Amino acid sequence: MTLELWLMIVSGAGMAGMLASGYLERSRGLKTPLRDLSAKADPMLSSIKGSASQMISRITLKNAVLIANRGFVFVVRLFIKGFREAHDLLNRIVEKASKKTEDLSRSGAASFYLKKIKEGKGEKQITEGL
């Protein structure tokens, strides 16, 4: 994080320096040390501008729709994959829990309720037999 922050600070200072040197050259006619740097950067920037304008000129409505469609499909597939992984994880947890056997007669409150249910079923069978 600090590396990115320092890179942003240095590049911001470089841009501010280039703008200030350009202003000094135009307004006062001074030759600044950044003049050589700007002379080397101008052809590169103009070639980048030409490439970018060519790429933008090739974008049509059909291409924009196709790119939007691919982006939408990518996002939907990402959600499906995430939900699938969550489902598989929860499925594994449930399967592990269902394979565990517990002796309910040893647990306090649960065994009391099971005993009551068992007694209730026994009484019901006795009354049905009469």
Side-chain angles (χ1 to χ4, degrees), residues 1-13:
M1 177 76 176
T2 57
L3 176 66
E4 292 89 358
L5 185 61
W6 279 109
L7 287 174
M8 287 177 57
I9 290 171
V10 168
S11 63

Side-chain angles (χ1 to χ4, degrees), residues 72-127:
F72 181 73
V73 168
F74 175 76
V75 169
V76 169
R77 283 184 179 174
L78 187 68
F79 280 131
I80 289 173
K81 185 179 179 183
F83 288 136
R84 186 66 179 161
E85 289 179 7
H87 177 267
D88 290 342
L89 175 70
L90 292 174
N91 193 18
R92 285 192 301 268
I93 291 171
V94 168
E95 281 187 24
K96 283 182 182 179
S98 68
K99 288 180 182 177
K100 288 185 178 179
T101 57
E102 294 182 22
D103 188 13
L104 294 177
S105 62
R106 292 184 187 169
S107 57
S111 65
F112 173 76
Y113 288 114
L114 288 175
K115 187 176 178 183
K116 288 290 187 183
I117 292 170
K118 195 178 206 182
E119 288 174 1
K121 285 184 181 178
E123 290 175 4
K124 189 175 183 182
Q125 289 174 355
I126 294 172
T127 55

Side-chain angles (χ1 to χ4, degrees), residues 19-83:
L19 289 173
S21 71
Y23 174 74
L24 289 174
E25 285 179 5
R26 283 190 305 271
S27 66
R28 298 188 184 162
L30 298 175
K31 288 188 175 183
T32 59
L34 295 177
R35 184 179 183 126
D36 295 333
L37 179 65
S38 65
K40 291 177 183 176
D42 285 342
M44 286 187 352
L45 292 176
S46 65
S47 68
I48 290 172
K49 179 184 174 188
S51 300
S53 64
Q54 281 182 353
M55 189 170 61
I56 290 173
S57 68
R58 291 181 182 161
I59 294 177
T60 62
L61 181 62
K62 182 180 176 182
N63 292 341
V65 168
L66 288 174
I67 290 170
N69 185 16
R70 282 188 180 184
F72 181 73
V73 168
F74 175 76
V75 169
V76 169
R77 283 184 179 174
L78 187 68
F79 280 131
I80 289 173
K81 185 179 179 183
F83 288 136

